């Protein structure tokens, strides 16, 4: 929370290097991404779904989107706005963030389910009885979705006219991490 609130102070000083209109749009975007219609919605969906016996796959993916993808989007899209990138380029970054967030969250659920505390560096089996892709639909479906969403994220990055190797590396880490 401290880091997020500090970000607003940093953004206030960006008008020295970027057009004030872009700074204003970037701050508004962050606000909408992290607010009750964005990241907070993901946390609410997570808590709501935790008490349900059966959750449909699209509903779990929606929760992942708001819980994780939106956080990635909130860190990438404002940079695109500050730099005055086109709406099409911004959409490609949003698409990347959506898919990369899904990959991160499914891998996290897999690690919680099959990993050990020694391997992951944190308690596992924490999501026991909780609806998520790995527990509700099995590891085969989880692995398939990681592969599909990874491929979709790479396609989105391939549409951008600038170097995306760092974002591709981040995606690769999300899909293959052991912690």
């Amino acid at each position: 929370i401290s880091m997020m609130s500090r970000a607003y102070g940093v953004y206030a000083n960006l008008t020295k290097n970027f057009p004030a209109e872009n700074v204003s749009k970037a701050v508004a975007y962050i606000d909408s991404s992290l607010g009750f219609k964005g990241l907070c919605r993901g946390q609410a969906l997570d808590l709501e779904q935790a008490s349900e016996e059966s959750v449909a796959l699209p509903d779990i993916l929606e929760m992942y989107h708001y819980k994780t993808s939106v956080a990635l989007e909130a860190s990438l899209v404002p940079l695109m706005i500050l730099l005055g990138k086109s709406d099409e380029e911004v959409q490609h970054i949003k698409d990347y963030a959506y898919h990369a967030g899904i990959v991160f969250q499914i891998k996290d659920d897999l690690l919680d389910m099959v990993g050990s505390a020694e391997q992951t560096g944190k308690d596992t089996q924490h999501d026991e009885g909780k609806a998520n892709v790995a527990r509700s639909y099995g590891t085969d479906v989880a692995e398939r979705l990681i592969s599909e969403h990874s491929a979709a994220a790479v396609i989105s990055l391939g549409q951008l006219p600038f170097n995306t190797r760092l974002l591709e590396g981040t995606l690769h880490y999300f899909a293959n991490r052991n912690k």
Side-chain angles (χ1 to χ4, degrees):
I1 293 170
S2 174
M3 288 173 28
M4 284 192 281
S5 64
R6 176 65 184 118
Y8 284 102
V10 170
Y11 269 97
N13 291 316
L14 290 177
T15 56
K16 297 173 186 171
N17 299 306
F18 299 98
E21 181 181 346
N22 290 10
V23 172
S24 180
K25 286 179 184 178
V27 170
Y29 191 87
I30 292 170
D31 176 58
S32 68
S33 296
L34 300 179
F36 70 94
K37 291 182 181 179
L39 188 62
C40 291
R41 180 178 179 190
Q43 294 301 327
L45 287 171
D46 191 20
L47 292 172
E48 180 183 301
Q49 290 177 7
S51 64
E52 296 178 11
E53 281 187 38
S54 175
V55 181
L57 182 59
D59 293 336
I60 294 172
L61 295 178
E62 177 187 24
M63 181 263 295
Y64 289 172
H65 164 69
Y66 286 107
K67 184 177 173 184
T68 306
S69 300
V70 167
L72 292 171
E73 191 178 306
S75 67
L76 296 171
V77 170
L79 300 172
M80 301 289 284
I81 292 169
L82 287 173
L83 295 170
K85 298 294 185 179
S86 71
D87 290 344
E88 184 179 346
E89 290 173 315
V90 170
Q91 186 58 54
H92 292 309
I93 286 292
K94 286 180 180 181
D95 293 343
Y96 164 81
Y98 171 77
H99 295 295
I102 299 291
V103 168
F104 178 90
Q105 194 62 54
I106 293 173
K107 185 65 172 191
D108 198 60
D109 294 339
L110 278 170
L111 289 171
D112 183 74
M113 191 169 123
V114 301
S116 66
E118 294 78 29
Q119 172 194 7
T120 62
K122 65 179 185 175
D123 289 338
T124 58
Q125 306 298 317
H126 182 59
D127 292 340
E128 188 84 24
K130 187 176 175 183
N132 66 44
V133 170
R135 290 197 185 281
S136 300
Y137 295 92
T139 57
D140 289 343
V141 170
E143 292 290 351
R144 179 180 53 81
L145 288 171
I146 286 173
S147 178
E148 289 174 3
H149 282 276
S150 292
V154 169
I155 288 170
S156 296
L157 292 177
Q159 303 299 312
L160 294 167
F162 50 84
N163 183 329
T164 61
R165 285 191 307 252
L166 180 60
L167 294 173
E168 287 180 46
T170 301
L171 175 68
H172 179 76
Y173 171 75
F174 286 173
N176 297 291
R177 66 195 174 97
N178 292 316
K179 292 184 176 197

